[in-house]
Amino acid sequence: MEKRSHMGGNGLKMRPMRRSPLLTWFTSVLVSSLLVGCGSDESEQPEVTGPKPFKVMTYNVLCSFCKGDEYDAWDDRKPYFKDIFARHDADLYGLQELAFGSEVDQMLELVDGFASVYYTAADSNFTYPDASILYRTERFELLDSGEFWLSPTPDDPSSIGFSPPQVPRLVVWAKLHDKQSASDLVFVSTHFDNNSPSQELSAPLVIDRLEPLAGDAPLVLLGDFNSKPDTEAYRILTAGDGFQFVNTQALAESWEVDTNQQPVPDYNLDDRIDHIFVAPNSANWAVSHWAVDVHEYGPNQRYASDHFPMAATLLAGKN
């Protein structure tokens, strides 16, 4: 399928390059390694370590039993997912609306060399992978993981109470060791409920729980927030006085609409409810690229889900 780029009807938009402290540090490491390498025995060179880029994706895949007439059946959509995963080739995936542990296994069959993190009850066989994580095992080692629920009692599994009626919603996190960068990373997937004021009440809870969890480590929070950029929940997440999240799309040096459609469809950033956030600011994040995928599939040229997958290539500063 042909890949096209789009930005506001005028093609790919490139933001002016900003020379950040991270870029300065990264350049100095490169220059130093080249200078040391001139006329020296390669075996004597110290190993150069530091931040390495990695790619993340968030995707609400549309639950297997709620497709409606405008979407293909689950078994038909799985090859679409495989194509999306292969094209973007992320190192970390945050998926939403998987309904069973078996469906997480099906997603793992579509990617090579990945493991999963999702909620499994400690005292039963009950699983709830509405917010799931897939991580590339060659790159990352799982150090710890957990979850909390978006409710007044976040430590009670399947709890609700922010907005009746409400589906149980949760945040799933994984603390990972990045083998290439020799540093730790906290990666988080969530799915806010679509009933207000659930989003407005979920946002401060997420900040309160994730700030101490992250500590000084870089943190990526992504998922379906059911919150556009002009909502109160989004403001709480991104405009606080203390710990706050930054949207990777706003940091991106370039972005694109990745599509096989002709003409390239317009994409309104103000309508987004799925987001890829990073924190803290002290991590000195760089985002080289951000993309939203609007490919169509099948004989009826349908989207694979009622949400569009989003991917970002990230570089976190040296801890």
Side-chain angles (χ1 to χ4, degrees):
M1 293 185 177
E2 183 181 359
K3 175 179 174 181
R4 299 185 178 89
S5 299
H6 175 68
M7 171 60 181
N10 295 316
L12 183 64
K13 180 178 180 180
M14 302 293 294
R15 294 177 180 269
M17 293 294 291
R18 298 181 295 271
R19 187 170 182 84
S20 66
L22 175 60
L23 180 59
T24 302
W25 175 86
F26 199 75
T27 302
S28 67
V29 170
L30 178 60
V31 172
S32 298
S33 63
L34 291 174
L35 291 175
V36 171
C38 295
S40 301
D41 188 332
E42 183 178 350
S43 63
E44 298 176 357
Q45 306 312 313
E47 181 182 358
V48 177
T49 62
K52 303 294 192 300
F54 60 94
K55 195 171 188 178
V56 305
M57 173 181 283
T58 185
Y59 192 17
N60 181 324
V61 299
L62 178 62
C63 65
S64 56
F65 48 83
C66 52
K67 68 182 183 66
D69 294 335
E70 64 272 35
Y71 299 97
D72 291 339
W74 177 254
D75 286 340
D76 293 328
R77 290 191 286 131
K78 285 190 290 184
Y80 310 162
F81 300 148
K82 183 174 183 178
D83 180 71
I84 292 169
F85 295 155
R87 187 168 55 259
H88 294 282
D89 193 27
D91 301 296
L92 297 163
Y93 294 93
L95 305 178
Q96 299 84 45
E97 281 200 18
L98 293 172
F100 311 101
S102 60
E103 292 180 355
V104 179
D105 294 336
Q106 292 171 29
M107 296 296 103
L108 288 172
E109 292 173 358
L110 304 180
V111 290
D112 294 327
F114 280 76
S116 62
V117 177
Y118 59 94
Y119 175 73
T120 302
D123 55 355
S124 72
N125 294 324
F126 175 72
T127 61
Y128 188 64
D130 181 36
S132 300
I133 291 171
L134 307 183
Y135 65 95
R136 191 187 299 274
T137 56
E138 183 179 21
R139 174 79 186 257
F140 295 100
E141 175 189 357
L142 180 65
L143 301 178
D144 197 6
S145 64
E147 70 286 323
F148 57 91
W149 300 81
L150 298 175
S151 79
T153 53
D155 296 317
D156 294 340
S158 301
S159 57
I160 57 176
F162 275 163
S163 177
Q166 179 188 339
V167 175
R169 303 294 189 186
L170 78 167
V171 173
V172 173
W173 58 268
K175 188 171 185 179
L176 302 164
H177 180 69
D178 185 346
K179 303 173 188 178
Q180 292 188 14
S181 296
S183 60
D184 295 342
L185 168 75
V186 179
F187 186 72
V188 187
S189 177
T190 190
H191 188 181
F192 282 20
D193 200 66
N194 59 351
N195 291 311
S196 182
S198 182
Q199 299 98 330
E200 297 94 310
L201 296 173
S202 296
L205 173 61
V206 166
I207 291 175
D208 289 345
R209 286 296 182 107
L210 293 186
E211 180 178 9
L213 180 64
D216 294 329
L219 184 147
V220 179
L221 167 67
L222 47 68
D224 174 5
F225 294 84
N226 274 302
S227 306
K228 295 182 180 181
D230 63 352
T231 61
E232 177 64 11
Y234 188 96
R235 187 201 65 78
I236 294 171
L237 289 170
T238 61
D241 294 331
F243 187 84
Q244 61 182 270
F245 295 97
V246 181
N247 199 310
T248 56
Q249 198 285 323
L251 296 176
E253 298 293 345
S254 67
W255 74 278
E256 68 174 330
V257 173
D258 189 337
T259 185
N260 59 350
Q261 299 181 58
Q262 181 61 41
V264 176
D266 287 329
Y267 183 78
N268 188 349
L269 292 170
D270 293 335
D271 288 337
R272 288 171 298 157
I273 60 173
D274 304 89
H275 306 286
I276 301 173
F277 296 114
V278 291
N281 291 336
S282 59
N284 195 15
W285 289 93
V287 182
S288 59
H289 189 65
W290 184 96
V292 58
D293 190 300
V294 294
H295 275 63
E296 293 180 324
Y297 295 94
N300 297 311
Q301 290 295 283
R302 292 170 168 169
Y303 294 126
S305 170
D306 59 343
H307 289 248
F308 297 130
M310 296 174 179
T313 302
L314 313 178
L315 184 66
K318 190 176 181 180
N319 288 348

